[in-house]
Amino acid sequence: MWDTITNLLPLVGAALHDFLYGFLPGWLAYLLLGFIFIVILLVSILNTVLAFIWLERRGISRFQVRLGPDRVGPMGLLQPIADAVKLMTKEDIVPAGGDRAVHYLAAVLVFVPALLVFAVLPFAPGVVFADLNIGILYIIAIGSVGVIGVFMGGWASNNKYSLMGAMRAVAQMVSYEVPMVLSVIGVVMVAQSLSLEHIVQAQELPFILLQPLGFFIYFAAASAELNRTPMDLLEAESEIIAGYHVEYSGMKFALFFLAEYANALAVSIIVSTLFLGGWKLPLVPPYIALPLKIFAVFGLMLWIRSTLPRLRVDQLMGFAWKGLLPIALLNIFITGGELLIFKGYPSWLALVNIPLAALILFIWSRLFTIKIRATATSARPAPSARNV
Amino acid sequence: MPTLERVSTKETRIGAGLGILKGMLVTFKHLFRAPFTVPYPEKRLPLPRRFRGYEFVWSRERCTVCLTCAKACPHGVIRIQSRLAPPESQWQAEKFEIDIGLCIFCGLCVESCPYDAIFMGTQFELANYQRGGLVRGIEKIQYNPATSRASDYSEHPPLEPGRLLLPKQ
Amino acid sequence: MELRTQPFMVNIGPQHPSTHGVFRLRVIFDGETIVDLEPVFGYLHRGLEKLGEGRTYTQCLTLTDRQDYLSAMNNNLAYVLAVEKLGGIPVPPQATQVRVLVSELQRIASHLFAIGAFINDLGAFFSPFMYMLREREKITDLFEMLCGQRLTHNFLRIGGLSHDLPPEFMPALRALIDSMPRFIDEYDQLLSDNEIIWARSKGVGVLPRDLAINASASGPVLRGSGVAWDLRQADPYLNYPQFQFDIPIGANGDAYDRFRVRLEEMRQSVRIIKQAMESLPGGPVMTPDVNLALRLPKGEAYAHVESPRGELGYYLVSDGSINPYRFKVRAPSFINLTTLRELCLGWKLADAIVILGSIDIVLGEVDR
């Protein structure tokens, strides 16, 4: 009985599989089955994304002691749908002098990779669209395609703010790829596999306890990849208004918007899978355990977003290259050493690793100081703003 | 003799993230506090007694058409036409218009009135589809015991005691 | 291969989320570094100084509300003080004391808004701003209780006040003042030690002491640079000499210090209000027989107060008629803004926004 409950999703899948293969020729059943699973996956992703948008607006409003959207539907539940209808009916504007084709292509190029990531994510034991044995490599590769779309959008908009946002995006995303990949390596070393399903199965203890430093680095780098506070420089509202998508409207903007939240969902799932034990939770079936973890991770993102201001662009790059990268290397070094000494990476290492991580972070943060630079009393003559 | 207090230091070393944690604790505490905004059209905040509302209450009986209010108005939004009424040859207002579109609700007209004839109102929702609708003539501002609600702002003797009780804060 | 680069010009504003109104910065960037910067203003120019010349002294009061709309009480106060100085009009003691109360309340409200907007400029997603607005809302509620308006109060009158305190005012004020220190401590906890706020605002936009004095800066901008100059003590008006309070000053003169000075000034304002509440003399609030169409003797007068943004002065010239002959405002945020170019040169785009936020301009006052 318990097995039936925990394995509900694979059982349903298998039943569907047997049913289709029962009366259809093999190739048709294969295609049809794939199609059905893709539709189910996309629908559930997009619905979760809508739930995220609602949760973000309502959740942040609760952090800010206000009510949040409450006009459309009970507790504003239909607000994302109302937003979608509004965006779809809006006029699609391409700025004069903008590159029309690139402008269009950028939105698609941002949206598609955001969905492709979900192909390898395991939702329950045996429930994964494509159990690639190099799943993590695939995620990282696909994840970095989005930056091209962002840059194209910023370039094609023919707007200085967009261009600035796009430049920041490229610099930021390329920089944060590095610590992100390095932080995942620690997990891979402990789990001895690149397949996400194997990584989940390897977690008797969630890896957040065994790899606290890796979790911190991954979460920080993923926040930067997602353009979320405190690293939302490419769409910094108070500086460059909306960054690379300032000139987008209508459905194209909706694609950017959806991609952002689809990425947030993907990162929530990846963090749950790599560090929180994926669908494993005692006494809870996998299809409840994973959503719980996803929403917990997203809640943490909301909490951070509602508290923190934003870093400056040079500080952001400094944080990636001087802060996260050395710690990530150190993490790999420590993990490797531990693997070498203690075969099989026993669970009690958590007791060592957590204080060690806190110590490393503390010591590293002590190395940074702010320079107080004096302003010249007589400003140097500069070309007048009127002449440019 | 001035007293001083220095509020910051020349310390330039960044903390180790404890400040961020302290801040996050504060936002977390706010998660459990009641929202301070209200869903407006359904729920309204109580208005104070002295609220300066837009609809103005004017008493034909008290007004002697002395034009003090029109002169006190900084923007000249009060337009008055008077005539001599036949039986006792008394000055009466023929036209008394307040253009809400230009009014800044400073209350100077109400304060200046020597005969306590004009009051601020208690309403604040003054949206209108036409600009002409913002001009309030005699028929709209004249005191009507059934509908008029005058504000306590003026501290004038009320037009009809007992009928002008306003929501107290 | 050598990359050919060239500086480019960006208009920040007049429609921009963090220019605090309709203010425009013409900035020349080299990459993201500011090479040159030119503030362009006048988008909110309403000609209030000229309008004042066509209105009576009482009517001018409504114009002062609309100069610095975030501290209307202080604007009322400076103007009223100038008229009273010119006309030699006495003010009852109760009115003087209530003026202290409301101008300090207004200072807290204005600083709350300034800090909230500053943290927003740093990139926070509105949480601190909403917390600050929550407290500011309570203060505007108090003002509404006093005079029926929340923003443009028109509460002070030449020779006193328009109304005495209503009976429900003092309990509400006491409740607010009792809870205020707790909230200020919470803001302190939320913001002052935050590493990102440190990294973003410490050492950014350092205004040296001598430049601050030469540029005639005033208010928190001047005090942030370490100059203990506060008109409430330097040239006392009302009955500020009776009250005990400190002048907070900064150590470095950077954006962070200006923010901390504001935060600390709120505490001092609470202190002043507490003292003023205890010693309300009572009695009338208005000098009788101040004519609505007041005629002042020929002459001129200048009165200044310490507004939340700095030295706010009104200069009036009377030719004996019912209108001022000249109605001039010394707007603190306009004068503080003159240091903007020096502060921003060499910094990044994001820093320019932070520096602008730390100067705390109100465009109604800058453009008048």
Side-chain angles (χ1 to χ4, degrees), chain C residues 315-332:
Chain C
Y315 172 68
L316 295 172
V317 180
S318 164
D319 60 354
S321 70
I322 58 170
N323 308 327
Y325 178 77
R326 177 84 172 94
F327 175 80
K328 163 89 179 87
V329 188
R330 185 214 189 268

mmCIF file with all atom_site columns, all heavy atoms in Angstrom, chain C residues 315-332:
data_model
loop_
_atom_site.group_PDB
_atom_site.id
_atom_site.type_symbol
_atom_site.label_atom_id
_atom_site.label_alt_id
_atom_site.label_comp_id
_atom_site.label_asym_id
_atom_site.label_entity_id
_atom_site.label_seq_id
_atom_site.pdbx_PDB_ins_code
_atom_site.Cartn_x
_atom_site.Cartn_y
_atom_site.Cartn_z
_atom_site.occupancy
_atom_site.B_iso_or_equiv
_atom_site.pdbx_formal_charge
_atom_site.auth_seq_id
_atom_site.auth_comp_id
_atom_site.auth_asym_id
_atom_site.auth_atom_id
_atom_site.pdbx_PDB_model_num
ATOM 1   N N   . TYR C 1 315 ? 12.751 85.261 2.523  1.00 0.00 ? 315 TYR C N   1
ATOM 2   C CA  . TYR C 1 315 ? 13.163 86.666 2.507  1.00 0.00 ? 315 TYR C CA  1
ATOM 3   C C   . TYR C 1 315 ? 12.016 87.461 1.928  1.00 0.00 ? 315 TYR C C   1
ATOM 4   O O   . TYR C 1 315 ? 11.545 87.181 0.823  1.00 0.00 ? 315 TYR C O   1
ATOM 5   C CB  . TYR C 1 315 ? 14.415 86.821 1.646  1.00 0.00 ? 315 TYR C CB  1
ATOM 6   C CG  . TYR C 1 315 ? 14.827 88.240 1.401  1.00 0.00 ? 315 TYR C CG  1
ATOM 7   C CD1 . TYR C 1 315 ? 15.305 89.020 2.446  1.00 0.00 ? 315 TYR C CD1 1
ATOM 8   C CD2 . TYR C 1 315 ? 14.746 88.803 0.134  1.00 0.00 ? 315 TYR C CD2 1
ATOM 9   C CE1 . TYR C 1 315 ? 15.687 90.318 2.223  1.00 0.00 ? 315 TYR C CE1 1
ATOM 10  C CE2 . TYR C 1 315 ? 15.127 90.101 -0.084 1.00 0.00 ? 315 TYR C CE2 1
ATOM 11  C CZ  . TYR C 1 315 ? 15.598 90.866 0.962  1.00 0.00 ? 315 TYR C CZ  1
ATOM 12  O OH  . TYR C 1 315 ? 15.965 92.164 0.736  1.00 0.00 ? 315 TYR C OH  1
ATOM 13  N N   . LEU C 1 316 ? 11.521 88.413 2.696  1.00 0.00 ? 316 LEU C N   1
ATOM 14  C CA  . LEU C 1 316 ? 10.362 89.179 2.272  1.00 0.00 ? 316 LEU C CA  1
ATOM 15  C C   . LEU C 1 316 ? 10.730 90.652 2.219  1.00 0.00 ? 316 LEU C C   1
ATOM 16  O O   . LEU C 1 316 ? 11.419 91.163 3.100  1.00 0.00 ? 316 LEU C O   1
ATOM 17  C CB  . LEU C 1 316 ? 9.205  89.010 3.250  1.00 0.00 ? 316 LEU C CB  1
ATOM 18  C CG  . LEU C 1 316 ? 8.591  87.631 3.369  1.00 0.00 ? 316 LEU C CG  1
ATOM 19  C CD1 . LEU C 1 316 ? 7.607  87.612 4.505  1.00 0.00 ? 316 LEU C CD1 1
ATOM 20  C CD2 . LEU C 1 316 ? 7.919  87.265 2.065  1.00 0.00 ? 316 LEU C CD2 1
ATOM 21  N N   . VAL C 1 317 ? 10.276 91.315 1.163  1.00 0.00 ? 317 VAL C N   1
ATOM 22  C CA  . VAL C 1 317 ? 10.397 92.773 1.090  1.00 0.00 ? 317 VAL C CA  1
ATOM 23  C C   . VAL C 1 317 ? 8.990  93.320 1.021  1.00 0.00 ? 317 VAL C C   1
ATOM 24  O O   . VAL C 1 317 ? 8.172  92.835 0.233  1.00 0.00 ? 317 VAL C O   1
ATOM 25  C CB  . VAL C 1 317 ? 11.201 93.215 -0.149 1.00 0.00 ? 317 VAL C CB  1
ATOM 26  C CG1 . VAL C 1 317 ? 11.292 94.732 -0.187 1.00 0.00 ? 317 VAL C CG1 1
ATOM 27  C CG2 . VAL C 1 317 ? 12.569 92.601 -0.133 1.00 0.00 ? 317 VAL C CG2 1
ATOM 28  N N   . SER C 1 318 ? 8.697  94.278 1.865  1.00 0.00 ? 318 SER C N   1
ATOM 29  C CA  . SER C 1 318 ? 7.366  94.861 1.881  1.00 0.00 ? 318 SER C CA  1
ATOM 30  C C   . SER C 1 318 ? 7.451  96.309 1.425  1.00 0.00 ? 318 SER C C   1
ATOM 31  O O   . SER C 1 318 ? 8.371  97.037 1.807  1.00 0.00 ? 318 SER C O   1
ATOM 32  C CB  . SER C 1 318 ? 6.790  94.791 3.291  1.00 0.00 ? 318 SER C CB  1
ATOM 33  O OG  . SER C 1 318 ? 5.693  95.656 3.405  1.00 0.00 ? 318 SER C OG  1
ATOM 34  N N   . ASP C 1 319 ? 6.498  96.719 0.601  1.00 0.00 ? 319 ASP C N   1
ATOM 35  C CA  . ASP C 1 319 ? 6.432  98.130 0.226  1.00 0.00 ? 319 ASP C CA  1
ATOM 36  C C   . ASP C 1 319 ? 5.222  98.794 0.865  1.00 0.00 ? 319 ASP C C   1
ATOM 37  O O   . ASP C 1 319 ? 4.777  99.831 0.421  1.00 0.00 ? 319 ASP C O   1
ATOM 38  C CB  . ASP C 1 319 ? 6.409  98.277 -1.296 1.00 0.00 ? 319 ASP C CB  1
ATOM 39  C CG  . ASP C 1 319 ? 5.225  97.578 -1.925 1.00 0.00 ? 319 ASP C CG  1
ATOM 40  O OD1 . ASP C 1 319 ? 4.504  96.881 -1.171 1.00 0.00 ? 319 ASP C OD1 1
ATOM 41  O OD2 . ASP C 1 319 ? 5.020  97.701 -3.140 1.00 0.00 ? 319 ASP C OD2 1
ATOM 42  N N   . GLY C 1 320 ? 4.680  98.151 1.880  1.00 0.00 ? 320 GLY C N   1
ATOM 43  C CA  . GLY C 1 320 ? 3.566  98.755 2.587  1.00 0.00 ? 320 GLY C CA  1
ATOM 44  C C   . GLY C 1 320 ? 2.208  98.358 2.044  1.00 0.00 ? 320 GLY C C   1
ATOM 45  O O   . GLY C 1 320 ? 1.190  98.702 2.613  1.00 0.00 ? 320 GLY C O   1
ATOM 46  N N   . SER C 1 321 ? 2.185  97.598 0.962  1.00 0.00 ? 321 SER C N   1
ATOM 47  C CA  . SER C 1 321 ? 0.892  97.186 0.421  1.00 0.00 ? 321 SER C CA  1
ATOM 48  C C   . SER C 1 321 ? 0.498  95.840 1.035  1.00 0.00 ? 321 SER C C   1
ATOM 49  O O   . SER C 1 321 ? 1.162  95.331 1.931  1.00 0.00 ? 321 SER C O   1
ATOM 50  C CB  . SER C 1 321 ? 0.983  97.081 -1.105 1.00 0.00 ? 321 SER C CB  1
ATOM 51  O OG  . SER C 1 321 ? 1.781  95.985 -1.447 1.00 0.00 ? 321 SER C OG  1
ATOM 52  N N   . ILE C 1 322 ? -0.593 95.263 0.548  1.00 0.00 ? 322 ILE C N   1
ATOM 53  C CA  . ILE C 1 322 ? -1.035 94.008 1.139  1.00 0.00 ? 322 ILE C CA  1
ATOM 54  C C   . ILE C 1 322 ? -0.287 92.811 0.546  1.00 0.00 ? 322 ILE C C   1
ATOM 55  O O   . ILE C 1 322 ? -0.430 91.699 1.027  1.00 0.00 ? 322 ILE C O   1
ATOM 56  C CB  . ILE C 1 322 ? -2.563 93.800 0.979  1.00 0.00 ? 322 ILE C CB  1
ATOM 57  C CG1 . ILE C 1 322 ? -2.966 93.814 -0.494 1.00 0.00 ? 322 ILE C CG1 1
ATOM 58  C CG2 . ILE C 1 322 ? -3.329 94.825 1.761  1.00 0.00 ? 322 ILE C CG2 1
ATOM 59  C CD1 . ILE C 1 322 ? -4.381 93.373 -0.712 1.00 0.00 ? 322 ILE C CD1 1
ATOM 60  N N   . ASN C 1 323 ? 0.502  93.035 -0.488 1.00 0.00 ? 323 ASN C N   1
ATOM 61  C CA  . ASN C 1 323 ? 1.266  91.937 -1.072 1.00 0.00 ? 323 ASN C CA  1
ATOM 62  C C   . ASN C 1 323 ? 2.739  92.114 -0.749 1.00 0.00 ? 323 ASN C C   1
ATOM 63  O O   . ASN C 1 323 ? 3.214  93.245 -0.620 1.00 0.00 ? 323 ASN C O   1
ATOM 64  C CB  . ASN C 1 323 ? 1.128  91.918 -2.594 1.00 0.00 ? 323 ASN C CB  1
ATOM 65  C CG  . ASN C 1 323 ? -0.305 91.940 -3.030 1.00 0.00 ? 323 ASN C CG  1
ATOM 66  O OD1 . ASN C 1 323 ? -1.160 91.386 -2.355 1.00 0.00 ? 323 ASN C OD1 1
ATOM 67  N ND2 . ASN C 1 323 ? -0.567 92.604 -4.136 1.00 0.00 ? 323 ASN C ND2 1
ATOM 68  N N   . PRO C 1 324 ? 3.482  91.021 -0.656 1.00 0.00 ? 324 PRO C N   1
ATOM 69  C CA  . PRO C 1 324 ? 4.926  91.191 -0.545 1.00 0.00 ? 324 PRO C CA  1
ATOM 70  C C   . PRO C 1 324 ? 5.478  91.757 -1.852 1.00 0.00 ? 324 PRO C C   1
ATOM 71  O O   . PRO C 1 324 ? 5.016  91.390 -2.941 1.00 0.00 ? 324 PRO C O   1
ATOM 72  C CB  . PRO C 1 324 ? 5.438  89.789 -0.260 1.00 0.00 ? 324 PRO C CB  1
ATOM 73  C CG  . PRO C 1 324 ? 4.370  88.865 -0.672 1.00 0.00 ? 324 PRO C CG  1
ATOM 74  C CD  . PRO C 1 324 ? 3.084  89.608 -0.573 1.00 0.00 ? 324 PRO C CD  1
ATOM 75  N N   . TYR C 1 325 ? 6.465  92.641 -1.750 1.00 0.00 ? 325 TYR C N   1
ATOM 76  C CA  . TYR C 1 325 ? 7.082  93.188 -2.961 1.00 0.00 ? 325 TYR C CA  1
ATOM 77  C C   . TYR C 1 325 ? 8.036  92.168 -3.550 1.00 0.00 ? 325 TYR C C   1
ATOM 78  O O   . TYR C 1 325 ? 8.194  92.067 -4.750 1.00 0.00 ? 325 TYR C O   1
ATOM 79  C CB  . TYR C 1 325 ? 7.811  94.484 -2.602 1.00 0.00 ? 325 TYR C CB  1
ATOM 80  C CG  . TYR C 1 325 ? 8.523  95.124 -3.772 1.00 0.00 ? 325 TYR C CG  1
ATOM 81  C CD1 . TYR C 1 325 ? 7.804  95.826 -4.731 1.00 0.00 ? 325 TYR C CD1 1
ATOM 82  C CD2 . TYR C 1 325 ? 9.901  95.015 -3.918 1.00 0.00 ? 325 TYR C CD2 1
ATOM 83  C CE1 . TYR C 1 325 ? 8.438  96.392 -5.816 1.00 0.00 ? 325 TYR C CE1 1
ATOM 84  C CE2 . TYR C 1 325 ? 10.549 95.575 -4.998 1.00 0.00 ? 325 TYR C CE2 1
ATOM 85  C CZ  . TYR C 1 325 ? 9.818  96.268 -5.936 1.00 0.00 ? 325 TYR C CZ  1
ATOM 86  O OH  . TYR C 1 325 ? 10.443 96.831 -7.001 1.00 0.00 ? 325 TYR C OH  1
ATOM 87  N N   . ARG C 1 326 ? 8.666  91.425 -2.666 1.00 0.00 ? 326 ARG C N   1
ATOM 88  C CA  . ARG C 1 326 ? 9.557  90.357 -3.126 1.00 0.00 ? 326 ARG C CA  1
ATOM 89  C C   . ARG C 1 326 ? 9.370  89.194 -2.165 1.00 0.00 ? 326 ARG C C   1
ATOM 90  O O   . ARG C 1 326 ? 9.284  89.382 -0.940 1.00 0.00 ? 326 ARG C O   1
ATOM 91  C CB  . ARG C 1 326 ? 11.014 90.830 -3.098 1.00 0.00 ? 326 ARG C CB  1
ATOM 92  C CG  . ARG C 1 326 ? 12.020 89.765 -3.483 1.00 0.00 ? 326 ARG C CG  1
ATOM 93  C CD  . ARG C 1 326 ? 12.177 89.674 -4.989 1.00 0.00 ? 326 ARG C CD  1
ATOM 94  N NE  . ARG C 1 326 ? 13.278 88.773 -5.351 1.00 0.00 ? 326 ARG C NE  1
ATOM 95  C CZ  . ARG C 1 326 ? 13.107 87.478 -5.636 1.00 0.00 ? 326 ARG C CZ  1
ATOM 96  N NH1 . ARG C 1 326 ? 11.910 86.939 -5.567 1.00 0.00 ? 326 ARG C NH1 1
ATOM 97  N NH2 . ARG C 1 326 ? 14.129 86.727 -5.972 1.00 0.00 ? 326 ARG C NH2 1
ATOM 98  N N   . PHE C 1 327 ? 9.304  87.999 -2.739 1.00 0.00 ? 327 PHE C N   1
ATOM 99  C CA  . PHE C 1 327 ? 9.025  86.796 -1.961 1.00 0.00 ? 327 PHE C CA  1
ATOM 100 C C   . PHE C 1 327 ? 10.062 85.791 -2.398 1.00 0.00 ? 327 PHE C C   1
ATOM 101 O O   . PHE C 1 327 ? 9.981  85.240 -3.481 1.00 0.00 ? 327 PHE C O   1
ATOM 102 C CB  . PHE C 1 327 ? 7.594  86.343 -2.301 1.00 0.00 ? 327 PHE C CB  1
ATOM 103 C CG  . PHE C 1 327 ? 7.156  85.046 -1.688 1.00 0.00 ? 327 PHE C CG  1
ATOM 104 C CD1 . PHE C 1 327 ? 6.734  84.988 -0.373 1.00 0.00 ? 327 PHE C CD1 1
ATOM 105 C CD2 . PHE C 1 327 ? 7.105  83.885 -2.430 1.00 0.00 ? 327 PHE C CD2 1
ATOM 106 C CE1 . PHE C 1 327 ? 6.296  83.807 0.171  1.00 0.00 ? 327 PHE C CE1 1
ATOM 107 C CE2 . PHE C 1 327 ? 6.673  82.695 -1.884 1.00 0.00 ? 327 PHE C CE2 1
ATOM 108 C CZ  . PHE C 1 327 ? 6.271  82.659 -0.574 1.00 0.00 ? 327 PHE C CZ  1
ATOM 109 N N   . LYS C 1 328 ? 11.112 85.643 -1.585 1.00 0.00 ? 328 LYS C N   1
ATOM 110 C CA  . LYS C 1 328 ? 12.266 84.851 -2.022 1.00 0.00 ? 328 LYS C CA  1
ATOM 111 C C   . LYS C 1 328 ? 12.463 83.692 -1.062 1.00 0.00 ? 328 LYS C C   1
ATOM 112 O O   . LYS C 1 328 ? 12.325 83.847 0.139  1.00 0.00 ? 328 LYS C O   1
ATOM 113 C CB  . LYS C 1 328 ? 13.505 85.752 -2.047 1.00 0.00 ? 328 LYS C CB  1
ATOM 114 C CG  . LYS C 1 328 ? 14.823 85.038 -2.071 1.00 0.00 ? 328 LYS C CG  1
ATOM 115 C CD  . LYS C 1 328 ? 15.274 84.758 -3.487 1.00 0.00 ? 328 LYS C CD  1
ATOM 116 C CE  . LYS C 1 328 ? 16.617 84.058 -3.489 1.00 0.00 ? 328 LYS C CE  1
ATOM 117 N NZ  . LYS C 1 328 ? 16.486 82.602 -3.368 1.00 0.00 ? 328 LYS C NZ  1
ATOM 118 N N   . VAL C 1 329 ? 12.784 82.546 -1.633 1.00 0.00 ? 329 VAL C N   1
ATOM 119 C CA  . VAL C 1 329 ? 12.988 81.358 -0.817 1.00 0.00 ? 329 VAL C CA  1
ATOM 120 C C   . VAL C 1 329 ? 14.428 80.899 -0.957 1.00 0.00 ? 329 VAL C C   1
ATOM 121 O O   . VAL C 1 329 ? 14.951 80.822 -2.066 1.00 0.00 ? 329 VAL C O   1
ATOM 122 C CB  . VAL C 1 329 ? 12.058 80.210 -1.274 1.00 0.00 ? 329 VAL C CB  1
ATOM 123 C CG1 . VAL C 1 329 ? 12.133 79.058 -0.304 1.00 0.00 ? 329 VAL C CG1 1
ATOM 124 C CG2 . VAL C 1 329 ? 10.646 80.696 -1.423 1.00 0.00 ? 329 VAL C CG2 1
ATOM 125 N N   . ARG C 1 330 ? 15.051 80.637 0.172  1.00 0.00 ? 330 ARG C N   1
ATOM 126 C CA  . ARG C 1 330 ? 16.345 79.963 0.125  1.00 0.00 ? 330 ARG C CA  1
ATOM 127 C C   . ARG C 1 330 ? 16.042 78.483 0.304  1.00 0.00 ? 330 ARG C C   1
ATOM 128 O O   . ARG C 1 330 ? 15.767 78.010 1.407  1.00 0.00 ? 330 ARG C O   1
ATOM 129 C CB  . ARG C 1 330 ? 17.259 80.447 1.246  1.00 0.00 ? 330 ARG C CB  1
ATOM 130 C CG  . ARG C 1 330 ? 18.653 79.848 1.158  1.00 0.00 ? 330 ARG C CG  1
ATOM 131 C CD  . ARG C 1 330 ? 19.265 79.620 2.512  1.00 0.00 ? 330 ARG C CD  1
ATOM 132 N NE  . ARG C 1 330 ? 20.658 79.244 2.399  1.00 0.00 ? 330 ARG C NE  1
ATOM 133 C CZ  . ARG C 1 330 ? 21.065 77.973 2.339  1.00 0.00 ? 330 ARG C CZ  1
ATOM 134 N NH1 . ARG C 1 330 ? 20.196 76.991 2.372  1.00 0.00 ? 330 ARG C NH1 1
ATOM 135 N NH2 . ARG C 1 330 ? 22.349 77.692 2.242  1.00 0.00 ? 330 ARG C NH2 1
ATOM 136 N N   . ALA C 1 331 ? 16.088 77.752 -0.803 1.00 0.00 ? 331 ALA C N   1
ATOM 137 C CA  . ALA C 1 331 ? 15.683 76.355 -0.763 1.00 0.00 ? 331 ALA C CA  1
ATOM 138 C C   . ALA C 1 331 ? 16.891 75.491 -0.466 1.00 0.00 ? 331 ALA C C   1
ATOM 139 O O   . ALA C 1 331 ? 17.835 75.469 -1.242 1.00 0.00 ? 331 ALA C O   1
ATOM 140 C CB  . ALA C 1 331 ? 15.070 75.959 -2.090 1.00 0.00 ? 331 ALA C CB  1
ATOM 141 N N   . PRO C 1 332 ? 16.885 74.773 0.662  1.00 0.00 ? 332 PRO C N   1
ATOM 142 C CA  . PRO C 1 332 ? 18.092 74.019 1.031  1.00 0.00 ? 332 PRO C CA  1
ATOM 143 C C   . PRO C 1 332 ? 18.447 72.929 0.034  1.00 0.00 ? 332 PRO C C   1
ATOM 144 O O   . PRO C 1 332 ? 19.622 72.746 -0.272 1.00 0.00 ? 332 PRO C O   1
ATOM 145 C CB  . PRO C 1 332 ? 17.734 73.437 2.397  1.00 0.00 ? 332 PRO C CB  1
ATOM 146 C CG  . PRO C 1 332 ? 16.266 73.518 2.496  1.00 0.00 ? 332 PRO C CG  1
ATOM 147 C CD  . PRO C 1 332 ? 15.843 74.679 1.683  1.00 0.00 ? 332 PRO C CD  1
#
